[in-house]
Structure formats: C-alpha cells, structure tokens
Amino acid sequence: MTLQHWITQALQERLQPTSLTVKDESEQHHGHAGWREGGETHFRLYIVSDAFSGKSRVERHRLVNDAVKEAFDRGLHALAIQAKAPGE
C-alpha cells in the first residue's frame, strides 16, 4: 500500500470527511530536506469534516496529525493541511 493510500484511508477512518484530497507534491521538493527518490515525502491535503466544527485551525491540524502520525514513521517529511468544517 502506498503512503498516499495509507494517509487517505487513515483520515477516512478517523475523521470521516465529506471531502478529501491527498496530493503527493514530493517532486516539487526535489533536492530539498526530506526528499527521497520515489517520492511520497511531501503531501498536501484538503479535508472537510464535521470533526472540525467549532475547532480552531490549530485544533484541526492536531486532529489531522494525530490521525496520520504513523505516516511520519513511514517516511512522510511534510504535510500541508487545509482543514475546513462543512459550509466553510
């Protein structure tokens, strides 16, 4: 299973999003810190979930990072997060 698929699955299970996009942007970071051959080091995600309702940006990012913390052990170097509640 690719890291991208694992992140997607973990977020779907933990946060039950109504919308989710996980994009591998590793090639944009070629030669930078954390980059490695084969990619799957830098991701950008867009997520909409009821779990974010009433939460601050920091709280939302913590929920996402907690859901995918194992991904950092599996080689993830950077994760850009855009987390919204429905209707935002």
Side-chain angles (χ1 to χ4, degrees), residues 36-85:
R36 70 173 184 276
E37 194 68 41
E40 296 213 306
T41 57
H42 296 74
F43 287 92
R44 178 170 305 276
L45 68 90
Y46 303 93
I47 182 170
V48 178
S49 173
D50 286 327
F52 302 137
S53 295
K55 303 257 189 309
S56 71
R57 181 175 157 207
V58 171
E59 290 170 317
R60 293 171 183 196
H61 284 219
R62 284 183 181 149
L63 285 171
V64 170
N65 283 317
D66 285 347
V68 300
K69 62 185 170 188
E70 186 181 315
F72 287 95
D73 295 333
R74 297 175 66 170
L76 178 62
H77 177 75
L79 184 62
I81 303 167
Q82 186 174 18
K84 303 284 184 187

